[in-house]
């Protein structure tokens, strides 16, 4: 890009030697700890989920990549996190890494008190606490007006009633970071609630990746000390600031998934023969691979531009909304093109492509679907 576009600093999306080393290490880790067979077992509704791969991921210390060192984390950059999550997305590696170690951790950093940061962030960095945001409800909306879960405050105690739905990683959470509406002030704030608390019922939602759950809360008691920032006012704004920083990391994960799907499709087009020749020589197959590559490249450049802007402190709002739009559609369409290349074999569970298909559909709406972010992009550009 021209220097006049970025007068203060020219955009450079190349990785540092340290980031290249991280990329290599994470890729090796995923290949060793999360092979296709393990991922299929995790995704199976009938097989027990193995705990060892997740424990090994915790032991790497990578979950704390965005948590500052003073709170027990790695203190890495957003691009560092993008490199990490792109490689996890190649799996695709499931688990409460984005929901807890990124979104919930960044929300605490944005809106929590110093005592709350010291209490929770070190344990989130080590995986001891899996704090999962419970934001959306039946209509899957990401606006403040979509929050109807209510909390009544009496002295130092809260009583919470209502429902959350489409909660990512709800079944594996130790704590829920709930968006709640104050029955007194009507402000929407955030409250930390133990996931196994009395009055909480967590139900699995079949058909989705990422262990999505519906959560019912009936007269759930919580301490007001666990209101993020100590008051409801400002909680939603802190969440939105954290979302803007989480989205490019999520986009990098989607880029990794798209990259894996691309490589799988290219390899298949070279090894699958029909009429005595590799199917990759057929124009129709080449068209699908090119379409897939275009979707991948668009997702990659928009995601890493947003990460770069976050790292240098440049206004990134427009780039974040663009990245989410492009990456969500890119991963979704990449899987569609891959199924065109593979035909029937791509739909076989044991082949592995459907792991990405399910992930692309599930992540499409997480933190807002492309239509939502197009509207936000238009607002950011003043259109």
């Amino acid at each position: 890009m021209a220097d006049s576009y970025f007068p203060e600093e020219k955009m450079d999306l190349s990785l540092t030697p340290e980031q290249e080393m991280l990329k290599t290490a994470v890729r090796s880790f995923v290949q060793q700890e999360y092979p296709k067979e393990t991922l299929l077992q995790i995704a199976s509704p009938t097989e027990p989920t193995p705990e060892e791969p997740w424990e090994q991921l915790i032991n790497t210390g990578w979950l704390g990549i965005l948590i500052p060192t003073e709170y027990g984390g790695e203190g890495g950059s957003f691009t560092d996190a993008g490199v990490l999550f792109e490689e996890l997305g190649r799996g695709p590696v499931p688990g409460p890494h984005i929901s807890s170690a990124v979104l919930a951790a960044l929300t605490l950093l944005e809106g929590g008190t110093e005592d709350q940061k010291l209490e929770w962030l070190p344990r989130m960095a080590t995986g001891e606490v899996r704090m999962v945001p419970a934001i959306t409800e039946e209509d899957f909306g990401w606006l403040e007006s979509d929050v109807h879960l209510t909390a009544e405050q009496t002295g130092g105690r809260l009583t919470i009633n209502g429902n959350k739905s489409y909660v990512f990683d709800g079944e594996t959470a130790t704590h829920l970071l709930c968006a709640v509406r104050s029955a007194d002030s009507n402000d929407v704030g955030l409250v930390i609630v133990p996931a196994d608390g009395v009055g909480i019922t967590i139900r699995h939602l079949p058909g989705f990746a990422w262990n999505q759950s519906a959560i019912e809360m009936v007269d759930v008691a919580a301490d007001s000390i666990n209101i993020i920032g100590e008051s409801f006012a400002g909680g939603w704004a802190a969440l939105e600031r954290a979302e803007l920083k989480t989205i490019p990391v999520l986009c990098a994960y989607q880029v990794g998934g798209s990259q894996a799907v691309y490589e799988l499709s290219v390899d298949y087009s070279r090894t699958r023969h029909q009429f005595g020749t590799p199917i990759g020589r057929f124009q129709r197959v080449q068209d699908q691979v090119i379409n897939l590559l275009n979707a991948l490249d668009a997702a990659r450049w928009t995601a890493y531009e947003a990460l770069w802007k976050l790292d240098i402190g440049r206004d990134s709002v427009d780039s974040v909304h663009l990245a989410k739009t492009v990456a969500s559609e890119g991963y979704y369409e990449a899987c569609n093109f891959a199924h065109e290349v593979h035909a029937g074999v791509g739909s076989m569970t044991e082949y592995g492509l459907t792991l990405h298909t399910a992930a692309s559909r599930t992540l499409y709406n997480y933190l807002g679907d492309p239509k939502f972010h197009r509207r936000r992009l238009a607002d950011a550009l003043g259109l």
Side-chain angles (χ1 to χ4, degrees), residues 40-60:
L40 288 171
Q41 184 180 357
I42 294 172
S44 173
T46 58
E47 294 188 48
T49 298
E51 296 292 335
E52 185 176 354
W54 177 253
E55 294 296 329
Q56 292 297 328
L57 179 56
I58 289 174
N59 291 337
T60 63

Side-chain angles (χ1 to χ4, degrees), residues 100 179 181 317 355:
S100 178
R181 185 174 296 277
V317 174
L355 289 167

